Amino acid sequence: MKPIVYPAFSICLTLILATFLGIHISFVRSQKNHTLIFTKENTIRNCSCSVAIRDCDYCLANLMCNCKTVLLSTMEKTTYKSHLTIWFTDTSVLEMLLNFTRVWDLKLSFCGTTPLPTEYLAIWGLQKLRVNKVKGRFPEQSVTISSSSNNDKEGLLGMHNKDRQMFAHISFLDTSLFNGYSLLKSYSVENVSSIMKHFPSLLYSDVFSTSDNESYVVTFIY
Ligand SMILES: *[C@@H]1O[C@H](CO)[C@@H](O)[C@H](O)[C@H]1NC(C)=O
Ligand SMILES: *[C@@H]1O[C@H](CO)[C@@H](O)[C@H](O)[C@H]1NC(C)=O
Ligand SMILES: *[C@@H]1O[C@H](CO)[C@@H](O)[C@H](O)[C@H]1NC(C)=O
Ligand SMILES: *[C@@H]1O[C@H](CO)[C@@H](O)[C@H](O)[C@H]1NC(C)=O
């Protein structure tokens, strides 16, 4: 049983009431719509929000954003071309949402209470990551992954070209980093021709196939 978040609920009630009474509540305006995906129990909601919602405030998100329920059976690996925020409580759903997707600007907020195991999520083309650990009990942290000849446009494709050689960017995120306070760190290795050969302990490196010209920029986030 997960504890019910009463403060969020009461804020939500207040909000409904305020809306009903026609009182204008001003929110922090963000420039454009952004995608927020959150999971609660086994439900996944995919929202488009035009205002910034406080992390893990499910009720407010449902109220203020345009949300749809995502059926697990129809979920596909997607490319996210703009900022994506995910609120999650366990690694299994996070894995379904994120493992081997392409996203360059990502925020992850851990809204659960049970510590997460060490598992590696593979993310293509990641450039900016913000994390919020344990319901905001620690300050938000971020890392920017850049390699020598990056720009945003190339980052969208998760690839860049250096000396006529293609580099595919892949990041491995250790899910246990959400468990407690430690500094968010990243370490990149450039020009990796074979992930399987260089990092045999990543048990699923057989997923990667390389064409002759392609090398990887491999980043570990921990
Ligand atoms: C969430 O919605 C966005 C567009 O609103 C879409 O591109 C994306 O594929 C959706 N993600 C999932 C997991 O349904
Ligand atoms: C990501 O996908 C790979 C390959 O399917 C799998 O081996 C790995 O366990 C997944 N990662 C997580 C965190 O589930
Ligand atoms: C990448 O590595 C290969 C083989 O080790 C080398 O021939 C190539 O010049 C390197 N490319 C860059 C851009 O460092
Ligand atoms: C490798 O690069 C050369 C020139 O840089 C190009 O002509 C060739 O098509 C590339 N091969 C693959 C498999 O991408």
Side-chain angles (χ1 to χ4, degrees):
M1 272 297 283
K2 299 220 168 59
I4 300 163
V5 192
Y6 286 109
F9 186 63
S10 60
I11 285 170
C12 212
L13 269 185
T14 314
L15 202 79
I16 292 166
L17 206 68
T19 313
F20 182 71
L21 295 173
I23 297 167
H24 178 75
I25 298 177
S26 59
F27 289 89
V28 188
R29 291 263 158 217
S30 63
Q31 305 87 330
K32 49 180 190 263
N33 284 6
H34 65 274
T35 305
L36 162 69
I37 298 179
F38 63 85
T39 68
K40 214 178 174 205
E41 274 88 58
N42 283 322
T43 312
I44 299 176
R45 301 274 284 165
N46 186 355
C47 310
S48 171
C49 307
S50 56
V51 290
I53 307 287
R54 193 181 56 185
D55 285 340
C56 310
D57 197 337
Y58 299 97
C59 179
L60 201 60
N62 272 320
L63 205 65
M64 300 302 294
C65 306
N66 184 6
C67 301
K68 279 179 274 189
T69 298
V70 178
L71 298 175
L72 284 181
S73 53
T74 60
M75 206 161 75
E76 288 172 348
K77 297 285 178 219
T78 330
T79 295
Y80 294 94
K81 297 197 179 72
S82 58
H83 179 78
L84 171 68
T85 300
I86 297 179
W87 300 344
F88 68 99
T89 52
D90 62 83
T91 47
S92 61
V93 187
L94 187 66
E95 186 218 337
M96 288 186 269
L97 286 169
L98 213 52
N99 208 8
F100 288 101
T101 54
R102 209 171 267 287
V103 50
W104 65 280
D105 183 6
L106 177 67
K107 179 178 173 182
L108 294 176
S109 297
F110 177 50
C111 303
T113 46
T114 317
L116 302 176
T118 295
E119 282 173 52
Y120 293 97
L121 282 170
I123 305 168
W124 291 109
L126 188 65
Q127 288 195 355
K128 272 191 270 177
L129 174 71
R130 286 190 288 154
V131 302
N132 212 341
K133 302 174 181 186
V134 210
K135 279 191 176 159
R137 264 171 39 213
F138 301 115
E140 186 178 296
Q141 298 185 46
S142 65
V143 285
T144 301
I145 299 149
S146 56
S147 64
S148 18
S149 65
N150 255 4
N151 70 38
D152 277 359
K153 202 168 163 223
E154 289 162 338
L156 273 181
L157 300 166
M159 297 193 82
H160 75 265
N161 192 310
K162 190 181 176 190
D163 303 334
R164 309 176 93 218
Q165 199 183 7
M166 293 307 285
F167 286 101
H169 291 247
I170 186 144
S171 295
F172 293 97
L173 182 125
D174 177 352
T175 51
S176 70
L177 70 83
F178 293 96
N179 289 340
Y181 187 76
S182 58
L183 220 51
L184 186 65
K185 294 180 277 303
S186 76
Y187 178 75
S188 296
V189 184
E190 294 201 15
N191 202 6
V192 173
S193 55
S194 161
I195 291 182
M196 218 181 336
K197 258 188 239 152
H198 282 75
F199 307 106
S201 54
L202 285 173
L203 295 170
Y204 51 102
S205 31
D206 51 309
V207 180
F208 302 97
S209 62
T210 11
S211 69
D212 286 344
N213 296 353
E214 197 175 86
S215 288
Y216 296 96
V217 176
V218 180
T219 301
F220 293 93
I221 303 169
Y222 55 100

